[in-house]
Amino acid sequence: MRRVRKILKAKPVIEGAGVRLKRLFGKPELPLLDPFLLLDDFHSNDPDDYLAGFPMHPHRGIETITYILHGEVAHRDSMGNRGVIQSGDVQWMTAGGGIIHEEMPKRTEGTLWGFQLWANLPASHKMMAPRYQNIKAGEIPCVSPNTDVSIKVICGEVGGVRGPVQGIVSRPEYLDITIHPNAVYEHATEKDCTVFAYVIEGSGSFEGEDHPPILPENLILFAYGSGIRVRTAEEPVRFLLISGQAVREQIAWSGPIVMNTRDELETAFEEYRLGTFLRHN
Ligand code: FE2
């Protein structure tokens, strides 16, 4: 079983045009979570925290994965996509060689709550044609390996059930797992991939019997191994379990663009200034 290698705690940051959110990891943590670059948790009852949104901005060299638990985020992009990501929906956007888009949270009754994960693309795919997979909540299968566990399979395969997001370069797994109280669950993972869990509700122990329970807004990075084991006590636990194959390449990263070299980065920003940034659309 994989042991807990490191626990990361959410830190408040301000992003976009003034959105208050919590960051679990980003540039300072490179290359700890390779192929993943960044994870943000936006979770607020106060529209002033999020209405400023993320007006038009470019991306190149990465994929962004947005999962909304509650609320709505309107988006539009340079490929002509336009719509609203709603509660339970996932948007998997491959920026590839270039996309310009806008992500604007809408005023929500109660809590706006969602996550954005960035996954790096290897040099061989950084300039691929951009693509966009918009997955509605009802398209995400939920499987129960036993009566104590339910798993929303966003990407990857559990018990022969494949998630709707497919064809992703780093062969990621993205699961939303809930475990009832007083239960144990073991989940197999590919031996050499990067695996982390992000607790979103309740608490659970992610290792042998003695490990203290991990609480919400804590991210567990696992050491290498063939699977993870989670144990609950009186409380249930809900967590995202995410894994992927490390890219293991040099990274040059500035804002929303992640390339291999400084030259590539400078070219990207120069092209954005000149209006020649978009290659495929
Ligand atoms: Fe973006």
Side-chain angles (χ1 to χ4, degrees), residues 57 59 101 103:
H57 58 277
H59 286 290
H101 78 163
E103 304 157 289

Side-chain angles (χ1 to χ4, degrees), residues 134-181:
N134 195 31
I135 311 294
K136 302 304 287 179
E139 297 172 58
I140 299 171
C142 190
V143 299
S144 291
N146 61 57
T147 52
D148 288 322
V149 180
S150 63
I151 304 178
K152 289 186 189 183
V153 187
I154 294 164
C155 184
E157 188 176 319
V158 178
V161 176
R162 283 186 81 185
V165 178
Q166 292 178 13
I168 303 296
V169 181
S170 52
R171 304 209 316 274
E173 187 171 64
Y174 194 129
L175 309 173
D176 176 352
I177 302 181
T178 301
I179 302 176
H180 292 176

Side-chain angles (χ1 to χ4, degrees), residues 8-221:
L8 302 171
K9 293 186 192 313
K11 293 183 281 289
V13 294
I14 296 180
E15 271 295 353
V19 177
R20 290 172 198 279
L21 45 80
K22 294 201 170 127
R23 179 154 296 161
L24 275 306
F25 60 88
K27 210 186 281 184
E29 285 76 27
L30 281 176
L32 204 56
L33 287 110
D34 187 2
F36 304 108
L37 298 164
L38 175 149
L39 178 66
D40 283 344
D41 177 347
F42 44 102
H43 187 180
S44 175
N45 295 317
D46 181 358
D48 287 345
D49 283 347
Y50 59 77
L51 282 179
F54 303 87
M56 282 295 178
H57 58 277
H59 286 290
R60 177 178 283 178
I62 59 169
E63 303 185 271
T64 68
I65 301 101
T66 308
Y67 180 28
I68 304 296
L69 290 189
H70 189 259
E72 295 185 330
V73 177
H75 71 92
R76 60 195 174 102
D77 67 37
S78 52
M79 291 191 291
N81 298 304
R82 166 187 288 269
V84 179
I85 315 171
Q86 294 170 309
S87 302
D89 295 354
V90 173
Q91 185 202 74
W92 199 293
M93 191 205 57
T94 304
I99 196 167
I100 298 173
H101 78 163
E102 177 178 83
E103 304 157 289
M104 304 300 283
K106 295 173 75 159
R107 187 178 291 275
T108 297
E109 269 309 304
T111 307
L112 175 81
W113 193 5
F115 313 99
Q116 188 168 82
L117 175 71
W118 291 14
N120 198 14
L121 285 169
S124 57
H125 288 74
K126 283 216 179 279
M127 297 304 286
M128 68 186 280
R131 65 181 175 183
Y132 169 91
Q133 302 184 52
N134 195 31
I135 311 294
K136 302 304 287 179
E139 297 172 58
I140 299 171
C142 190
V143 299
S144 291
N146 61 57
T147 52
D148 288 322
V149 180
S150 63
I151 304 178
K152 289 186 189 183
V153 187
I154 294 164
C155 184
E157 188 176 319
V158 178
V161 176
R162 283 186 81 185
V165 178
Q166 292 178 13
I168 303 296
V169 181
S170 52
R171 304 209 316 274
E173 187 171 64
Y174 194 129
L175 309 173
D176 176 352
I177 302 181
T178 301
I179 302 176
H180 292 176
N182 301 305
V184 180
Y185 176 60
E186 289 181 5
H187 180 80
T189 59
E190 282 189 49
K191 256 200 172 95
D192 59 345
C193 62
T194 302
V195 180
F196 70 87
Y198 181 49
V199 176
I200 54 181
E201 288 175 308
S203 70
S205 300
F206 284 80
E207 188 180 37
E209 309 256 350
D210 306 332
H211 201 275
I214 310 280
L215 301 169
E217 300 194 352
N218 279 226
L219 182 148
I220 303 109
L221 172 64

